[in-house]
C-alpha cells in the first residue's frame, strides 16, 4: 500500500536522488508505525508468519528475503551483505573496509562512505544493508574485526552513527551487527561470551546507543551465547537493554543460522525476524511453526503481530513504499540479473579519497614523501594484481584489498600497486628506473632493492569469516593464528633493509601485526599501515607515498611490541570442549586502555599517525554548558607549523575521577582539521552526559561519577599536547 501525502510526518524530508533512483519522503517513527499497524491488521496469521521468517538459504533473490504480502503491496524485503559495499553482485564498488573508515578519524568521510554504499544498494533495488559492523575488536587476531571499527567503543559508535546516517539518508535500511560480544570465529556457533554487566554496557553495548540515535532500522543478534544464553534468544539483550533501556524501535533479525531455541521462547525473548528461514544445520529455532502455534496461543499471536509491525515500520519510515527501484539481481543465479550499474565516477573518486585518508604513516625518518627518485624497487606479492575468482575472497595471491567471508565485496576489479606505480612513472616520462620483484622470495627482492634510491616492500596480514566448511587461508580458520606478517614478509623486509638504506614498508592488514625487530632498523625509513583500502588501493597508496595527499590516517588500534602485551587473545583451541565459556576477565580494559593502565609501552599507540607537516596546539579552555548533549565544550587552537598543507586529527581523551574504576584515558572526541601551511584554526569539541557516564550495576543506570575529570588533547593517545580538567 502506498502512503498518501496526508500521512507524511512533521519531520519528513523530501529527497530527490539523481538518475535511476526515485524521490521519496521519510516519516517519523510514529507515523511509520501507524502505517505498519494498519497493514499488519489486514494480514492473515499465515501472512504474518511469512513476514517474520526468511525464504530460506537458497529461496530468495538476495542473501535474505522475507515472504512479502503482494496483495497488501509488501514486497519480499531484500537483505544483502554488507558491510563494505553491496556483495555478490556485479557492477558495484569495492569500498574500503570498516577498519579503514575508522582510520580516517573523519566523520565527513565516514558519512560519505555510508551514503555511497547506500546509493549502490538502492540502485540495485536492495532494501536492507547488513551493516555497519560495530563489533568490538577484543583480540587483535579476531577474524572479522576488520569489518568493524576497531577496539574502541567511542570510535566504533561514532563511525557506526555516521555510516547509518549516510546509508539511511538515501532511503536504505541499515542493520547494526552483531549483538553482541561476538569476538572470534573459532567456536562462534557455540561459545559463550561471559561478560559482566558493566563491561557489556560500556564496551559491547555502548556503540548501539549511537546506532539507535541514528535511527538504525534493525539490529542483528550474533551467533554466540552471552552468559550461556544464545544472543538471538536473549531477553536481557533484546527486551531489557535494547528496547527497555534504550528505546530501540526497529526490528531484531537473527544472524544467518543463529537461532536455536523453541519458537515461543525466541519470539518472547525479542527476536522479530528469523533468517535465512527454514533449513538449518544446527539446533532448531526456525519460525517455520510460528503460524500454527500462534493460532492456538493468544500471547504468541499478539507478539507475532508486533514482530511484523517492527519489521515493516522501518520500510515505511524510510519511504521504501514510494518508487523504490525494483530488485535487479539474483545472488542464487544469473538468470534474472539485469546488471544494473551501481557504480559512478563520484564513488570511485570517494573510494580513492578514503583509501588515502585511511593510510597511516607510523614511522618516517626521511623515506617519505618520495620526491621523483632516480630509481625505485617495488617488492612483495602484495604489490601484484590480486588473485580473483575464489569464493568470498578466501584466498590470497597478489594484493590484499579486503578480507574474506560474507563481509567481503565481490571486486569487479582492483587497481594493484604495481599498475598504479607503472602508470604514475609513465605519466612522468619514465624518469624513475623501476625494478620489481612481485613475490616474497628473498633473493629476487634483494636484487631488485640493491642500489636503488628507495625500495618499497609490500606486506600483508589477512583474516576473515570462519566458514561452516573448512575454509582456511594459509592455515587460518577465520581468526589469525598469530600476528606475524604473512608469507615470511618480515624476513623479506629484513633482507631488503640490509642492502637498501631507504627501505619503505607498506602493510595491507586486517589489524595489528608484529613489527619486531625491523621496526627500529635505521634502514627502514618509513612504515605505512594501509589497512584494507578497497578497489583503488594502488592509486591511493601512491597518492600518499609521493605526497600528493598529505597523510592524516590514525591507528584505530594499538601496535604492540609483543603479541603477549594484548590483554585478550582469540581462543583457538579448547580441547574437547566444543562450547567453551570465555570469561572476559580483561573487562573493558581492552587495547590502549590496558596498555595505559598497565603502563606498557606500545610500538605505536592508538590514535598515532604522522603527517608531512607539523602541528602545534595552544590555548585549551573548558566551558560549562546546559544542554545534556553539550555539557562541556573544550576549545583549543591548532596551527600548521610546517611548510605543507595538511590535516591534523586532534583527539580528546577524558580521565575519569579517581575511584571510578576507569582506564587512565578514554577517547571522547576527535576532529579532522584541514590546515594550510601556517594556518591556525580554533577547534571545539563537546562532551555530553553519556560520555561522562559509567554503567552503575547497582542502580542499573548510567551515572556520572562524582569528582574531577581530566581533559587531555593531543595527536594520539600517547602524544598529549594540552591538558585541563573540570
Ligand atoms: C486494512 O487496510 C485498510 C486500507 O489499507 C484500512 O483502511 C483498514 O483500517 C485496515 N484494516 C484494519 C483492521 O486495520
Ligand atoms: C552475565 O553474568 C554476569 C555475572 O553474573 C552479570 O553481571 C551480567 O549481567 C550477565 N549479563 C547478561 C547479559 O546476562
Ligand atoms: C502459549 O505458549 C506458551 C509456551 O508453550 C505457554 O507458556 C503459554 O502459557 C501459552 N499461552 C497461552 C495464552 O496459551
Ligand atoms: C613509459 O614506459 C612505458 C612502458 O615501457 C611505455 O609504454 C610508455 O610509453 C612510457 N611513457 C613515456 C611518457 O615515455
Ligand atoms: C643499510 O643499507 C646500506 C646500503 O645502503 C648497507 O650498506 C648497510 O649495511 C645497511 N645497514 C644495516 C644495518 O643493515
Ligand atoms: C644511503 O645509501 C646511499 C648509497 O646507496 C648513500 O648515497 C646515502 O648517503 C645513504 N644514506 C644514508 C642516510 O645513509
Ligand atoms: C593563544 O591565546 C593568546 C592570548 O589570547 C593569543 O595571543 C594567541 O594568539 C593564541 N594562540 C593561538 C595559536 O591561537
Amino acid at each position: 500500500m502506498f502512503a498518501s501525502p496526508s500521512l507524511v510526518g512533521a519531520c519528513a524530508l523530501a529527497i530527490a536522488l539523481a538518475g535511476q533512483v526515485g524521490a521519496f519522503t521519510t516519516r517519523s517513527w510514529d507515523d511509520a508505525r501507524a502505517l505498519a499497524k494498519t497493514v499488519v491488521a489486514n494480514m492473515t496469521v499465515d501472512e504474518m508468519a511469512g513476514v517474520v521468517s526468511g525464504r530460506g538459504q537458497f529461496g530468495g533473490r538476495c542473501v535474505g528475503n522475507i515472504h512479502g504480502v503482494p496483495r497488501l503491496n509488501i514486497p519480499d524485503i531484500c537483505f544483502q551483505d554488507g558491510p563494505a559495499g553491496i556483495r555478490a553482485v556485479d557492477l558495484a564498488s569495492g569500498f574500503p573496509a570498516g577498519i579503514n573508515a575508522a582510520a580516517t578519524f573523519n566523520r565527513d568521510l565516514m558519512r560519505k562512505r555510508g551514503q555511497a554504499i547506500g546509493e549502490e544498494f538502492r540502485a540495485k533495488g536492495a532494501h536492507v544493508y547488513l551493516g555497519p559492523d560495530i563489533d568490538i575488536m577484543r583480540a587483535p587476531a579476531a577474524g572479522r574485526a576488520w569489518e568493524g571499527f576497531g577496539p574502541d567503543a567511542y570510535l566504533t559508535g561514532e563511525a557506526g552513527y555516521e555510516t547509518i546516517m549516510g546509508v539511511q539518508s538515501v532511503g536504505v535500511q541499515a542493520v547494526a551487527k552483531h549483538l553482541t560480544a561476538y569476538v572470534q570465529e573459532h567456536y562462534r556457533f557455540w561459545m559463550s561470551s561471559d561478560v559482566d554487566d558493566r563491561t557489556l554496557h560500556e564496551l559491547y553495548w555502548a556503540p548501539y546507543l549511537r546506532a539507535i540515535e541514528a535511527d538504525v532500522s534493525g539490529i542483528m543478534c550474533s551467533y554466540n551465547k552471552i552468559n550461556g544464553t544464545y544472543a538471538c534468544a536473549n531477553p536481557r539483550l533484546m527486551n531489557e537493554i535494547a528496547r527497555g533501556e534504550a528505546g530501540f524501535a526497529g526490528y531484531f533479525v537473527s544472524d544467518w543460522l543463529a537461532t536455536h531455541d523453541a519458537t515461543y521462547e525466541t519470539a518472547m525473548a525479542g527476536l522479530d525476524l528469523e533468517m535465512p528461514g527454514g533449513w538449518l544445520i544446527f539446533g532448531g529455532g526456525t519460525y517455520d511453526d510460528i503460524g500454527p502455534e500462534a493460532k492456538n496461543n493468544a500471547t504468541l499471536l499478539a507478539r507475532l503481530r508486533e514482530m511484523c509491525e517492527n519489521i515493516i515500520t522501518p520500510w515505511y519510515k524510510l519511504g521504501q513504499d514510494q518508487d523504490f527501484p525494483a530488485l535487479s539481481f539474483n545472488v542464487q543465479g544469473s538468470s534474472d540479473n539485469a546488471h544494473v550499474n551501481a557504480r559512478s565516477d563520484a564513488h570511485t573518486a570517494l573510494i580513492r579519497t578514503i583509501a588515502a585518508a585511511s593510510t597511516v604513516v607510523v614511522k618516517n625518518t626521511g623515506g617519505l614523501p618520495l620526491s621523483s627518485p632516480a630509481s625505485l624497487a617495488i617488492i612483495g606479492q602484495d604489490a601484484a594484481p590480486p588473485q580473483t575468482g575464489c569464493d568470498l575472497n578466501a584466498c590470497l595471491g597478489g594484493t590484499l584489498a579486503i578480507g574474506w567471508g560474507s563481509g567481503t565485496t565481490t571486486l569487479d576489479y582492483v587497481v594493484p600497486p604495481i599498475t598504479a606505480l607503472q602508470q604514475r612513472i609513465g605519466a612522468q616520462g619514465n624518469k624513475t628506473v623501476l625494478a620489481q620483484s612481485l613475490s616474497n622470495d628473498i633473493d629476487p627482492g634483494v636484487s631488485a632493492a640493491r642500489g636503488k634510491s628507495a625500495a618499497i616492500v609490500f606486506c600483508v596480514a589477512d583474516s576473515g569469516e570462519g566458514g561452516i566448511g573448512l575454509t582456511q587461508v594459509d592455515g587460518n580458520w577465520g581468526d589469525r593464528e598469530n600476528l606475524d606478517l604473512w608469507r615470511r614478509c618480515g624476513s623479506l623486509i629484513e633482507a631488503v633493509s640490509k642492502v637498501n638504506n631507504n627501505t619503505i614498508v607498506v602493510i595491507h592488514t586486517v589489524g595489528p601485526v608484529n613489527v619486531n625487530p625491523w621496526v627500529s632498523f635505521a634502514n627502514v625509513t618509513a612504515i605505512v599501515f594501509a589497512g584494507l583500502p578497497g578497489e583503488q588501493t594502488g592509486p591511493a597508496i601512491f597518492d600518499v607515498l609521493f605526497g600528493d595527499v598529505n597523510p592524516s590516517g590514525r591507528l584505530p588500534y594499538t601496535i604492540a611490541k609483543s603479541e603477549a602485551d594484548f590483554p585478550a587473545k582469540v581462543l583457538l583451541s579448547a580441547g574437547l570442549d566444543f562450547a567453551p565459556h570465555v570469561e572476559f576477565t580483561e573487562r573493558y580494559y581492552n587495547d590502549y586502555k590496558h596498555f595505559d593502565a598497565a603502563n606498557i609501552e606500545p610500538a605505536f599507540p592508538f590514535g598515532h599517525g604522522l603527517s608531512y607537516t607539523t602541528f602545534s596546539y595552544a590555548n585549551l579552555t573548558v566551558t560549562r554548558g546546559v544542554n545534556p548533549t553539550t555539557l562541556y565544550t573544550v576549545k583549543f587552537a591548532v596551527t600548521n607549523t610546517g611548510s605543507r598543507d595538511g590535516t591534523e586529527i586532534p583527539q580528546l581523551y577524558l580521565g575519569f575521577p579517581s575511584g571510578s574504576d576507569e582506564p587512565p584515558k578514554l577517547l571522547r572526541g576527535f576532529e579532522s582539521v584541514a590546515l594550510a601551511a601556517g594556518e591556525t584554526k580554533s577547534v571545539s569539541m563537546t562532551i555530553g552526559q553519556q560520555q561522562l557516564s559509567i554503567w552503575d550495576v547497582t542502580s542499573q543506570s548510567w551515572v556520572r561519577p562524582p569528582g574531577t575529570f581530566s581533559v587531555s588533547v593531543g595527536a594520539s593517545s600517547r602524544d598529549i599536547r594540552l591538558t585541563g580538567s573540570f
Side-chain angles (χ1 to χ4, degrees):
M1 64 177 281
F2 291 86
S4 68
S6 64
L7 290 166
V8 170
C11 63
L13 177 68
I15 300 169
L17 292 157
Q20 70 276 47
V21 291
F24 63 97
T25 304
T26 58
R27 303 186 178 87
S28 70
W29 280 109
D30 286 350
D31 291 347
R33 172 74 52 177
L35 289 169
K37 271 187 189 299
T38 302
V39 78
V40 172
N42 275 310
M43 288 182 186
T44 65
V45 174
D46 290 337
E47 284 168 341
M48 288 194 282
V51 169
V52 303
S53 40
R55 284 189 162 276
Q57 184 80 59
F58 306 107
R61 291 176 63 178
C62 303
V63 304
N65 292 90
I66 67 161
H67 298 82
V69 186
R71 69 176 186 92
L72 298 173
N73 292 318
I74 301 297
D76 288 1
I77 296 175
C78 163
F79 293 70
Q80 192 70 14
D81 298 325
I86 183 163
R87 183 178 71 78
V89 297
D90 59 355
L91 300 174
S93 304
F95 288 87
I99 200 67
N100 282 58
T104 67
F105 278 72
N106 181 318
R107 289 185 166 83
D108 180 50
L109 290 179
M110 290 168 180
R111 187 170 300 206
K112 284 185 170 139
R113 173 177 173 274
Q115 180 174 333
I117 290 172
E119 283 166 357
E120 298 204 1
F121 271 72
R122 189 175 178 95
K124 291 281 191 184
H127 300 93
V128 184
Y129 160 69
L130 294 172
D133 179 314
I134 54 174
D135 290 327
I136 294 293
M137 182 193 277
R138 171 177 183 257
R144 297 179 70 180
W146 56 270
E147 295 183 33
F149 306 116
D152 186 70
Y154 178 81
L155 181 58
T156 297
E158 297 307 299
Y161 177 88
E162 297 299 345
T163 306
I164 294 161
M165 294 298 285
V167 167
Q168 296 199 156
S169 73
V170 294
V172 169
Q173 301 182 40
V175 169
K177 63 188 192 177
H178 311 82
L179 189 72
T180 192
Y182 168 41
V183 293
Q184 62 171 66
E185 297 307 289
H186 287 74
Y187 303 105
R188 66 175 182 171
F189 294 116
W190 304 282
M191 139 175 176
S192 175
S193 296
D194 290 355
V195 194
D196 69 86
D197 196 29
R198 181 162 172 190
T199 300
L200 184 86
H201 277 85
E202 293 188 18
L203 188 54
Y204 297 99
W205 169 250
Y208 288 91
L209 290 173
R210 285 296 273 156
I212 291 167
E213 279 171 20
D215 286 328
V216 73
S217 296
I219 294 178
M220 184 190 289
C221 49
S222 55
Y223 289 123
N224 55 289
K225 301 167 187 162
I226 316 284
N227 285 1
T229 303
Y230 274 110
C232 288
N234 200 312
R236 169 100 182 114
L237 287 179
M238 295 188 282
N239 287 341
E240 291 178 26
I241 297 178
R243 295 200 196 281
E245 289 170 15
F248 172 57
Y251 53 84
F252 282 103
V253 53
S254 70
D255 202 342
W256 273 228
L257 310 178
T259 50
H260 301 258
D261 299 282
T263 297
Y264 183 84
E265 203 175 304
T266 307
M268 289 302 157
L271 183 73
D272 300 300
L273 175 57
E274 187 262 308
M275 279 289 177
W279 174 83
L280 281 185
I281 59 167
F282 317 120
T286 71
Y287 279 164
D288 281 357
D289 53 357
I290 198 166
E293 274 193 50
K295 284 175 188 163
N296 294 316
N297 187 310
T299 311
L300 186 57
L301 184 60
R303 171 68 187 130
L304 177 59
R305 183 162 284 125
E306 179 188 73
M307 288 155 68
C308 288
E309 291 166 8
N310 291 346
I311 293 164
I312 291 171
T313 295
W315 182 77
Y316 279 120
K317 181 172 191 305
L318 291 170
Q320 293 187 331
D321 56 323
Q322 311 146 37
D323 259 354
F324 197 81
L327 179 62
S328 67
F329 61 88
N330 186 340
V331 297
Q332 316 298 353
S334 55
S335 60
D336 41 6
N337 189 341
H339 304 286
V340 168
N341 183 23
R343 296 176 160 280
S344 68
D345 291 346
H347 290 185
T348 305
L350 178 67
I351 288 167
R352 181 168 173 173
T353 298
I354 295 172
S358 57
T359 300
V360 189
V361 176
V362 296
K363 174 181 178 179
N364 186 12
T365 54
L368 296 177
L370 292 163
S371 46
S372 359
S375 58
L376 193 56
I378 179 166
I379 299 164
Q381 186 191 44
D382 181 53
Q387 182 175 347
T388 54
C390 51
D391 194 27
L392 299 169
N393 291 328
C395 61
L396 182 67
T399 200
L400 177 71
I402 185 114
W404 79 80
S406 66
T408 199
T409 48
T410 305
L411 294 174
D412 290 338
Y413 71 90
V414 169
V415 185
I418 182 62
T419 306
L421 182 61
Q422 283 166 339
Q423 281 167 358
R424 175 179 277 268
I425 284 175
Q428 291 164 350
N430 293 325
K431 283 184 222 127
T432 301
V433 174
L434 190 61
Q436 65 185 60
S437 169
L438 303 183
S439 77
N440 284 11
D441 294 343
I442 305 270
D443 291 347
V446 166
S447 302
R450 203 184 300 272
K452 304 301 183 302
S453 322
I456 312 176
V457 184
F458 282 83
C459 293
V460 105
D462 196 2
S463 73
E465 184 172 22
I468 292 165
L470 296 172
T471 312
Q472 294 195 4
V473 184
D474 281 23
N476 299 271
W477 192 85
D479 304 311
R480 284 183 284 165
E481 293 281 315
N482 57 55
L483 302 189
D484 289 345
L485 290 175
W486 281 30
R487 300 180 182 176
R488 304 187 64 242
C489 211
S491 302
L492 179 63
I493 295 168
E494 288 186 42
V496 166
S497 76
K498 289 207 168 67
V499 300
N500 191 300
N501 67 7
N502 194 14
T503 299
I504 293 160
V505 176
V506 174
I507 303 169
H508 286 120
T509 177
V510 290
V513 295
N514 290 328
V515 294
N516 273 327
W518 44 267
V519 61
S520 54
F521 289 0
N523 278 359
V524 173
T525 54
I527 302 174
V528 179
F529 276 73
L532 305 170
E535 65 184 39
Q536 291 294 317
T537 177
I541 192 67
F542 289 108
D543 285 345
V544 172
L545 298 186
F546 282 95
D548 301 349
V549 170
N550 194 344
S552 60
R554 293 295 186 266
L555 286 175
Y557 44 70
T558 298
I559 305 293
K561 288 188 168 166
S562 156
E563 200 169 334
D565 290 343
F566 286 102
K569 275 195 163 21
V570 168
L571 178 68
L572 293 171
S573 173
L576 293 176
D577 185 356
F578 292 106
H581 280 255
V582 174
E583 209 181 323
F584 286 28
T585 51
E586 77 289 350
R587 303 192 296 149
Y588 38 91
Y589 288 75
N590 68 328
D591 202 78
Y592 70 94
K593 293 161 277 175
H594 169 72
F595 284 75
D596 286 351
N599 229 332
I600 299 167
E601 193 65 33
F604 301 107
F606 177 89
H608 170 72
L610 301 170
S611 166
Y612 299 152
T613 185
T614 50
F615 301 96
S616 72
Y617 289 65
N619 294 352
L620 180 103
T621 60
V622 182
T623 50
R624 168 110 223 206
V626 282
N627 191 312
T629 58
T630 56
L631 272 189
Y632 294 92
T633 301
V634 177
K635 268 205 181 112
F636 50 92
V638 183
T639 302
N640 181 344
T641 49
S643 52
R644 269 175 187 265
D645 298 352
T647 297
E648 176 64 329
I649 311 284
Q651 298 153 46
L652 166 65
Y653 294 86
L654 284 187
F656 277 59
S658 59
S660 47
D661 190 10
E662 286 294 337
K665 284 191 226 87
L666 283 172
L667 183 71
R668 286 293 185 263
F670 60 84
E671 245 3 286
S672 177
V673 185
L675 291 162
E679 190 184 6
T680 296
K681 274 186 189 161
S682 170
V683 180
S684 119
M685 297 181 185
T686 55
I687 303 167
Q689 180 71 31
Q690 181 62 34
Q691 282 82 54
L692 295 173
S693 298
I694 63 176
W695 179 253
D696 182 59
V697 174
T698 314
S699 67
Q700 287 290 298
S701 62
W702 294 98
V703 299
R704 175 182 173 172
T708 304
F709 285 75
S710 69
V711 175
S712 300
V713 168
S716 86
S717 63
R718 294 265 175 137
D719 182 6
I720 300 304
R721 309 289 185 86
L722 301 170
T723 57
S725 63
F726 57 80

